Amino acid sequence: MVKKNLLLAEDDELLASLLDYRLQKGGYNVHLANDGRDVKEYLKTATPDIIVSDIMMPYFSGIE
């Protein structure tokens, strides 16, 4: 089975760590982004299969 690449955008460190752990155990390659700026930078060089995003983050919202 090919692992899916997942971008996890979450500014709460504890929640991000828990989600990262569970998603990796579920078979995903997880890239963490701490805020909207990190998301934009990551998307300049990569295209994830899935994006899981917090809605309220610094700099850019999860909706933006």
Side-chain angles (χ1 to χ4, degrees):
M1 181 173 112
V2 176
K3 287 188 173 187
K4 298 281 185 179
N5 293 312
L6 184 141
L7 172 59
L8 175 60
E10 175 58 59
D11 60 329
D12 181 298
E13 288 185 35
L14 178 59
L15 182 54
S17 178
L18 292 170
L19 289 170
D20 179 38
Y21 175 78
R22 291 299 301 154
L23 289 165
Q24 285 190 39
K25 292 287 265 185
Y28 294 95
N29 291 321
V30 179
H31 176 82
L32 293 173
N34 296 321
D35 56 45
R37 287 190 306 198
D38 288 349
V39 171
K40 284 195 168 200
E41 285 302 310
Y42 178 76
L43 293 176
K44 287 180 182 179
T45 60
T47 304
D49 298 305
I50 303 166
I51 299 174
V52 177
S53 180
D54 185 355
I55 292 176
M56 295 177 60
M57 292 187 297
Y59 307 110
F60 300 99
S61 75
I63 295 170
E64 291 175 298

